[in-house]
Amino acid sequence: MADPERRQPLLLDEDLLAEDQDDETYSDELQSYRTSLSSTVTDYKWTHGRRFHSYREGTDAFPSLEKVVGNDLSPIQPSWVPPNVEFEVDDVESEWPERPPFDFIHSRYMCGSISDWPKFLRQAYSQTKVGGWAEFQDFHLVNYSEDGTLKEGNNVNKFYELLREACEKINRPVTVGVNLKKWAEDAGFENIEHKVFRLPLGTWPRDPRMKEIGAFNMLQFLEGLEAFSIATFTQVLGWSYEEVQVFLALVRKDAKNRRVHMIHDFHVVYGQRENLVKVTCIPPKIPAMANPKIPTIQLNDGTAFPIIGYGTGTAWFKRGDSPAVNRALVETVKTAVKLGYNHLDGAEGYGTEPELGQAIEESGVSRDELFVTTKVGASVRDIPAAIDASLKKLKLDYVDLFLIHNPFWANTEEELQEAWAAVEKVKASGKARSIGVSNFLKSHLETILKTAKVIPSVNQIEFHPYLQHGDLVPFQESKGIKTVSYGGLIPITRATGGPLDALLSTLAKKYGVNESEILLRWSLERKYVVITTSSKELRLASYLQALTFELTPKEVEEISHLGQQKHYRAFWAGNFASDDRS
Ligand SMILES: NC(=O)c1ccc[n+]([C@@H]2O[C@H](COP(=O)([O-])OP(=O)(O)OC[C@H]3O[C@@H](n4cnc5c(N)ncnc54)[C@H](OP(=O)(O)O)[C@@H]3O)[C@@H](O)[C@H]2O)c1
């Protein structure tokens, strides 16, 4: 908590004290700070007849930011925001939706809103990119003075005490700042910095910067008083509205008493998500691997299914229904195809079917040499329309595999069975060569098997050593349903620092590959099909080395055994208790 500002107590502006100003003068003084702030914001600059902002003019530190996502519990966001800003209205305490990880996550002023802070930071960690950063800024609402001028009975102090009491009663503490660092460490962040800033209340400090901070802090305190207290004091502490108003008048009066030098602290903690497993990306033996023939397994309907697939979700996921084609994805899919990937995994929900279709068209590879999967998500209640829409976006006449993306939308067994019956019709129509499901648990499979005319060919599930799913896999395999694994690299991407790290590193050295290939090979040794992805050609080429060596049965067993010691579910986690391994 090294903070140079804390070394010396704040010095007082003696001149101001000597003047013994009254309440009205103080209000005028604060008003002048407010005016100075708004004039810097609205001091527009006019060039060639157009108006430009001048507040922090030319200081956009991140001009190439692709997208900024803001989150709020209420739909109160302005519409006049830059085109790369979008808002989501959601509760950050709920499970965060599946999406690509962020380069930077920033949270501020959340005290009084969050009940499970450790979980909040863990969720942030799980959606921070490897190498990315997250920052948490918050108050620690305890009032103090450095010179003993704050005495018992002070109404500002009482206000803080009551606010703390109310917020603790509803399990949303306002004393969070001092804990942020520990929560960040526990969540897994590295390279953590913790800075503490003193916020004086009022213009009493001598130092001009602290005086200004004190003025703004006073303004926000006075203006926020009612917002902080009306609901909490009446609904939680049982006060009447009138009682609160009378008390707030006393609080305002004590807040403006220049002879009492109150301070509270503001904490800033930031940390990085490091890749704990230091993966040395070994250049693949490209000449030997150029255009490898990816082996296939046979599905229960006789279709040949390539055992490694390239996915267009996760890192590529597009938000909203943006019509703009992401050329980077088109080029990467073409690169994947050039490297030998002939199994391409898409979904309605990824928003990337147009890119996949464009890449297939531009790849020059004939349609029958590619195996294309898509999944129905949001349109699951109208499957005939969904497959037509997907085929249109993919610019294809048929897909090789059509999946129901997840079972969690269905409220009744019948709904799931009807959806499966509709998927069977898609196969019968020739619009999909094979059909299957994704993210189904044993109970969901049992439900559709009761009425199915066609047994699903696959169940595509998150599968890796830290999520091995109890008896799901033996069950589905016994029914002839192949296991397709996604998220196979999670032990070295999102769930690093686990019991497998050392073994993966040893095996990577032994076979002259990266940890990623060891993980992919582990799934292949278990006869599963793996779907993976990357935005990098080198890595995509590297993954294919998983086809060039074999793990011994003992090594496979060792990975399985060590993996059982940790549990991590990265996708659809909102549908499961945190310790649910089904
Ligand atoms: N059915 C479903 O519900 C579902 C859910 C999730 C995914 N999927 C499918 O599965 C595909 C694969 O996604 P996934 O998340 O499961 O992929 P994954 O194979 O677990 O991980 C791939 C990601 O790991 C990163 N990566 C690989 N090696 C790394 C290393 N050594 N250090 C740091 N990062 C590394 C890659 O990043 P770079 O881009 O930086 O190389 C890439 O983004 C998706 O695209 C989608 O098609 C399906």
Side-chain angles (χ1 to χ4, degrees):
M1 217 196 277
D3 182 12
E5 273 199 339
R6 293 195 71 82
R7 282 180 210 143
Q8 296 293 333
L10 293 178
L11 297 176
L12 305 182
D13 182 347
E14 304 286 355
D15 294 347
L16 209 57
L17 286 172
E19 284 176 27
D20 201 16
Q21 296 170 357
D22 58 18
D23 185 80
E24 202 174 324
T25 329
Y26 205 167
S27 299
D28 288 350
E29 189 194 344
L30 289 173
Q31 188 58 33
S32 74
Y33 280 96
R34 188 203 313 269
T35 314
S36 79
L37 176 68
S38 46
S39 70
T40 52
V41 174
T42 57
D43 187 11
Y44 302 115
K45 187 173 172 180
W46 291 83
T47 309
H48 304 304
R50 298 195 68 86
R51 192 177 68 175
F52 296 86
H53 77 93
S54 63
Y55 178 63
R56 297 204 167 159
E57 183 192 351
T59 56
D60 184 356
F62 306 102
S64 61
L65 267 187
E66 273 173 32
K67 187 177 312 213
V68 177
V69 180
N71 170 288
D72 202 322
L73 199 52
S74 310
I76 52 166
Q77 298 74 33
S79 53
W80 36 272
V81 292
N84 63 345
V85 174
E86 65 181 48
F87 294 104
E88 59 183 25
V89 176
D90 202 351
D91 181 356
V92 287
E93 293 233 80
S94 301
E95 295 302 322
W96 292 16
E98 177 193 341
R99 58 184 162 195
F102 294 99
D103 296 297
F104 179 58
I105 293 179
H106 172 82
S107 149
R108 192 193 306 175
Y109 302 161
M110 296 298 279
C111 74
S113 306
I114 301 281
S115 57
D116 189 345
W117 277 88
K119 179 180 169 197
F120 175 53
L121 272 84
R122 278 199 306 274
Q123 295 219 74
Y125 179 81
S126 77
Q127 292 204 359
T128 303
K129 254 192 189 165
V130 173
W133 292 83
E135 179 181 51
F136 306 89
Q137 303 190 347
D138 242 296
F139 293 110
H140 194 79
L141 281 188
V142 173
N143 206 25
Y144 63 92
S145 66
E146 292 171 331
D147 57 2
T149 51
L150 178 63
K151 300 273 191 272
E152 217 171 297
N154 179 291
N155 285 300
V156 176
N157 227 23
K158 273 193 202 157
F159 170 79
Y160 279 128
E161 279 165 14
L162 289 161
L163 188 64
R164 283 202 298 272
E165 185 190 327
C167 290
E168 264 146 39
K169 270 193 179 160
I170 54 169
N171 195 24
R172 286 180 160 67
V174 286
T175 45
V176 298
V178 296
N179 301 312
L180 287 172
K181 183 171 182 230
K182 166 137 189 10
W183 291 329
E185 283 166 355
D186 291 349
F189 287 103
E190 299 279 313
N191 305 325
I192 296 174
E193 288 289 332
H194 180 190
K195 296 178 189 274
V196 185
F197 297 91
R198 279 174 296 185
L199 301 185
L201 186 66
T203 56
W204 53 264
R206 185 188 302 170
D207 174 80
R209 183 167 161 269
M210 293 311 283
K211 183 187 281 299
E212 194 175 27
I213 290 171
F216 290 135
N217 192 27
M218 177 70 92
L219 279 170
Q220 70 89 19
F221 178 80
L222 295 176
E223 288 183 7
L225 260 184
E226 285 201 14
F228 301 140
S229 52
I230 297 292
T232 40
F233 283 34
T234 57
Q235 291 167 25
V236 184
L237 300 180
W239 290 31
S240 71
Y241 176 77
E242 291 71 24
E243 282 172 329
V244 181
Q245 289 297 359
V246 171
F247 176 59
L248 293 187
L250 299 173
V251 176
R252 284 188 196 96
K253 186 162 185 296
D254 281 0
K256 292 196 217 163
N257 181 350
R258 291 182 198 273
R259 301 192 181 284
V260 183
H261 308 127
M262 289 178 270
I263 303 173
H264 59 258
D265 286 341
F266 188 70
H267 293 249
V268 175
V269 167
Y270 54 87
Q272 188 176 25
R273 175 167 185 171
E274 267 207 334
N275 189 4
L276 294 182
V277 184
K278 303 285 181 211
V279 178
T280 38
C281 195
I282 299 165
K285 302 151 198 146
I286 290 180
M289 289 300 298
N291 288 319
K293 186 82 190 133
I294 299 202
T296 57
I297 54 160
Q298 211 179 47
L299 296 178
N300 58 9
D301 59 5
T303 306
F305 190 37
I307 62 172
I308 294 189
Y310 175 79
T312 56
T314 329
W316 296 110
F317 207 88
K318 271 194 341 205
R319 290 185 182 80
D321 209 9
S322 163
V325 165
N326 177 357
R327 276 309 304 179
L329 174 55
V330 174
E331 293 307 325
T332 310
V333 176
K334 283 164 63 184
T335 301
V337 172
K338 195 180 71 200
L339 288 169
Y341 289 85
N342 56 355
H343 172 176
L344 306 170
D345 184 79
E348 175 195 11
Y350 302 156
T352 51
E353 286 171 316
E355 284 79 359
L356 186 49
Q358 190 64 29
I360 292 169
E361 189 176 82
E362 291 178 22
S363 72
V365 174
S366 74
R367 171 68 186 91
D368 57 4
E369 284 182 43
L370 296 174
F371 189 102
V372 181
T373 301
T374 198
K375 313 179 192 88
V376 57
S379 311
V380 70
R381 290 174 196 279
D382 188 357
I383 285 175
I387 182 69
D388 286 347
S390 284
L391 290 176
K392 190 163 175 223
K393 286 186 227 162
L394 290 164
K395 304 190 202 188
L396 298 178
D397 301 328
Y398 69 93
V399 287
D400 297 274
L401 183 59
F402 185 56
L403 308 179
I404 298 179
H405 205 146
N406 77 83
F408 306 117
W409 54 273
N411 300 315
T412 62
E413 289 205 339
E414 289 71 30
E415 283 185 322
L416 217 48
Q417 289 162 346
E418 277 165 24
W420 183 247
V423 170
E424 287 174 336
K425 285 195 183 126
V426 173
K427 181 173 165 76
S429 73
K431 291 177 185 172
R433 288 171 68 215
S434 298
I435 52 176
V437 295
S438 179
N439 300 301
F440 273 42
L441 302 178
K442 188 178 165 202
S443 59
H444 302 118
L445 290 174
E446 284 169 339
T447 298
I448 59 166
L449 289 177
K450 281 185 207 163
T451 54
K453 294 195 187 75
V454 180
I455 307 290
S457 290
V458 307
N459 185 13
Q460 187 186 108
I461 53 175
E462 178 179 341
F463 194 97
H464 46 79
Y466 295 152
L467 183 59
Q468 298 182 39
H469 293 284
D471 59 352
L472 171 63
V473 170
F475 173 77
Q476 63 193 30
E477 302 267 329
S478 76
K479 302 286 176 194
I481 303 168
K482 285 286 175 205
T483 303
V484 181
S485 142
Y486 70 80
L489 305 186
I490 277 167
I492 58 161
T493 53
R494 303 192 196 199
T496 49
L500 271 177
D501 290 3
L503 177 61
L504 291 178
S505 164
T506 306
L507 293 174
K509 282 197 197 88
K510 174 178 169 186
Y511 292 104
V513 295
N514 300 303
E515 282 84 345
S516 42
E517 285 84 84
I518 300 294
L519 284 165
L520 295 175
R521 186 71 217 175
W522 175 77
S523 283
L524 294 176
E525 296 288 0
R526 298 173 68 124
K527 310 286 180 238
Y528 308 153
V529 167
V530 294
I531 309 290
T532 184
T533 195
S534 176
S535 50
K536 302 178 179 72
E537 180 169 357
L538 188 62
R539 201 169 264 161
L540 277 178
S542 256
Y543 292 158
L544 292 177
Q545 290 186 106
L547 299 171
T548 63
F549 68 99
E550 287 176 3
L551 294 168
T552 67
K554 186 161 171 278
E555 288 162 351
V556 173
E557 180 46 37
E558 241 179 319
I559 295 175
S560 310
H561 176 71
L562 283 176
Q564 299 277 15
Q565 295 174 10
K566 174 165 172 165
H567 172 59
Y568 191 94
R569 188 191 294 271
F571 296 92
W572 307 96
N575 299 290
F576 298 88
S578 58
D579 58 350
D580 185 339
R581 295 171 179 231
S582 59

